[in-house]
Amino acid sequence: MDQRRRLFVVGSEEPYHRALFEALETICTVQTLAPRISWRGWLPSFGRRRHACELPRGAFSRHRWLVRILAPLVERRLLAIYGRADALILTDPHAWPYAIHHRALASVIAYLVSDDYAAYPHVRLDQEHDLVRHADLIFPVSRLLAEVLQARYGIEDSRVHIIPNGIPSSWLPAEPPPALPPRPPQRPALAADLVPADFRPLIGIIGVIGSRIDLLPIVAAHDALPQLRWLFVGPVRRQVPGLAHLQSSPRCRFLGAMPYTELQACFATLDAAVLPLTDGDINPCSSPVRFFSQLPTGQPILYTGTCAQIAETPRLAYHCADAQALTATLERLAAAGFQDGRAAERHRFATGCTWQKRAEAAAGALEAVLEARRRTAAAR
């Protein structure tokens, strides 16, 4: 973006949002809008010290009449504290009032869509409808999600720019994997108190264990292939079927949640990775961070269930339709020393999937709209 454009973001604390916004900071000046919503926001300050930006409860209510009544007060306070920016990126349907009532904050408003919110009972799709109807740009994370949103809300192609999830540039090895890697492969080891050095061959499942995960194919492969060892990294959000069986196995290690910035060592140490996805929920439209995170070091990737974005690159990951297919594929890979000849291809693809590349794409789309408006204004 030209001349260090100013960008506001209204986002969650999810690592993938933070990573994208941090990458955008290398291109433009980024400021997070984080007003405090409270009952005290209804009161004038009367000279007392107020939180940096305190807004009345109801400023982002589901009741449109209340939002309309409060809109002038809310916008005055937002402008007084934050001023104006060239662009504003929203990441949540609950932020819909920004796109309608607080347009004075930014010249261009974009909506970064990470999930199909029809799968979330607590999200009101009428709010998302209002947001996409008034946003200048829509940034879905996958092609299928873009198609779903366009069919649902009638969004024009010109407003849609796909911005998938990505990886930190620092996770890319300086050199691609060798064409003829050693056998057995030499993987960097984790600390011995986490995973013993001889705990191999090591198959990894990295990410949240919850409703989007199907562990039953993992159970079948675990029981059928006793030579394999299994590493699980990530919080357990739900006791899904098969979890207790795996937790009781001496051939499994569960490390729990780890900071996003520390996960690269876990991805790098694996001999192969499995994404045990379900067919439903938001998986078909998703952009799995765990998929992109596994690509740089080139190990084989297997996945179950349905994910259209992974299916777009069939040479990078093996789709296993059921437990039998997962077991057979792991057995074949194990016999080959987990070398499938595609490591360099995965690494090469990963170089185009950094958060910096994603940020450049988003900034380019925003700049194109800003420039088009500048030309239009100059021609008047």
Side-chain angles (χ1 to χ4, degrees):
M1 299 177 77
D2 293 341
Q3 301 175 348
R4 293 295 293 184
R5 297 282 197 184
R6 192 176 186 212
L7 173 66
F8 288 155
V9 296
V10 177
S12 71
E13 288 302 305
E14 295 291 348
Y16 45 84
H17 285 153
R18 292 201 308 270
L20 178 62
F21 296 156
E22 287 170 6
L24 280 165
E25 287 177 354
T26 66
I27 303 171
C28 52
T29 301
V30 178
Q31 183 172 9
T32 300
L33 303 189
R36 177 187 295 172
I37 310 297
S38 72
W39 291 114
R40 291 181 62 183
W42 284 84
L43 304 174
S45 62
F46 295 121
R48 63 181 170 82
R49 188 172 182 178
R50 185 192 290 277
H51 174 264
C53 186
E54 199 164 29
L55 300 180
R57 190 173 295 276
F60 297 94
S61 168
R62 69 178 186 274
H63 301 298
R64 285 175 171 76
W65 62 268
L66 181 57
V67 172
R68 280 197 303 272
I69 290 173
L70 293 174
L73 169 64
V74 169
E75 187 168 87
R76 280 199 306 273
R77 289 188 182 171
L78 289 169
L79 288 170
I81 297 298
Y82 298 111
R84 288 180 169 84
D86 296 291
L88 165 63
I89 296 180
L90 307 172
T91 63
D92 192 309
H94 292 112
W96 66 273
Y98 282 106
I100 300 175
H101 300 291
H102 312 314
R103 299 277 320 193
L105 285 166
S107 302
V108 175
I109 292 181
Y111 174 37
L112 175 63
V113 201
S114 298
D115 291 322
D116 179 5
Y117 288 108
Y120 290 72
H122 65 280
V123 174
R124 293 172 58 98
L125 292 185
D126 59 331
Q127 293 178 345
E128 183 174 62
H129 188 196
D130 285 341
L131 202 166
V132 300
R133 190 156 51 93
H134 291 86
D136 302 290
L137 292 169
I138 312 296
F139 293 154
V141 295
S142 74
R143 192 179 313 279
L144 182 58
L145 181 57
E147 293 171 359
V148 167
L149 294 172
Q150 288 183 276
R152 183 180 298 154
Y153 301 123
I155 308 170
E156 312 93 300
D157 289 345
S158 60
R159 289 198 291 145
V160 177
H161 296 262
I162 298 168
I163 309 291
N165 286 320
I167 52 172
S169 301
S170 60
W171 288 17
L172 288 170
E175 299 292 335
L180 295 173
R183 293 185 64 177
Q186 298 172 355
R187 306 291 189 199
L190 295 177
D193 59 330
L194 296 178
V195 179
D198 60 351
F199 197 70
R200 290 192 179 275
L202 189 58
I203 313 303
I205 294 89
I206 299 180
V208 174
I209 295 177
S211 60
R212 298 173 58 187
I213 297 301
D214 179 9
L215 290 182
L216 292 181
I218 301 293
V219 170
H222 167 276
D223 293 350
L225 303 171
Q227 71 272 32
L228 301 184
R229 303 296 180 264
W230 301 80
L231 177 66
F232 296 80
V233 182
V236 175
R237 300 272 175 83
R238 178 175 295 186
Q239 290 293 321
V240 296
L243 178 60
H245 178 75
L246 296 168
Q247 288 174 324
S248 67
S249 170
R251 293 189 286 114
C252 296
R253 292 285 188 277
F254 285 79
L255 301 188
M258 295 178 65
Y260 175 68
T261 53
E262 298 177 14
L263 288 178
Q264 193 274 337
C266 297
F267 288 108
T269 196
L270 302 178
D271 292 297
V274 180
L275 282 64
L277 306 176
T278 64
D279 285 310
D281 203 84
I282 62 173
N283 286 332
C285 295
S286 69
S287 179
V289 174
R290 64 181 85 189
F291 167 67
F292 293 107
S293 301
Q294 192 61 60
L295 291 171
T297 44
Q299 298 96 321
I301 302 171
L302 302 82
Y303 73 104
T304 62
T306 303
C307 178
Q309 190 168 82
I310 302 178
E312 292 172 4
T313 52
R315 284 189 53 81
L316 303 183
Y318 299 93
H319 182 238
C320 303
D322 52 28
Q324 184 178 359
L326 177 65
T327 301
T329 305
L330 282 170
E331 187 173 30
R332 176 169 54 82
L333 289 169
F338 292 97
Q339 304 297 335
D340 64 354
R342 302 180 185 180
E345 190 173 348
R346 294 187 182 98
H347 175 273
R348 186 165 55 251
F349 186 85
T351 60
C353 299
T354 63
W355 288 116
Q356 191 63 39
K357 296 284 188 183
R358 306 309 194 205
E360 290 169 2
L366 292 167
E367 183 63 40
V369 176
L370 288 166
E371 180 61 20
R373 291 189 176 174
R374 185 193 66 78
R375 287 201 213 96
T376 300
R380 288 176 181 168

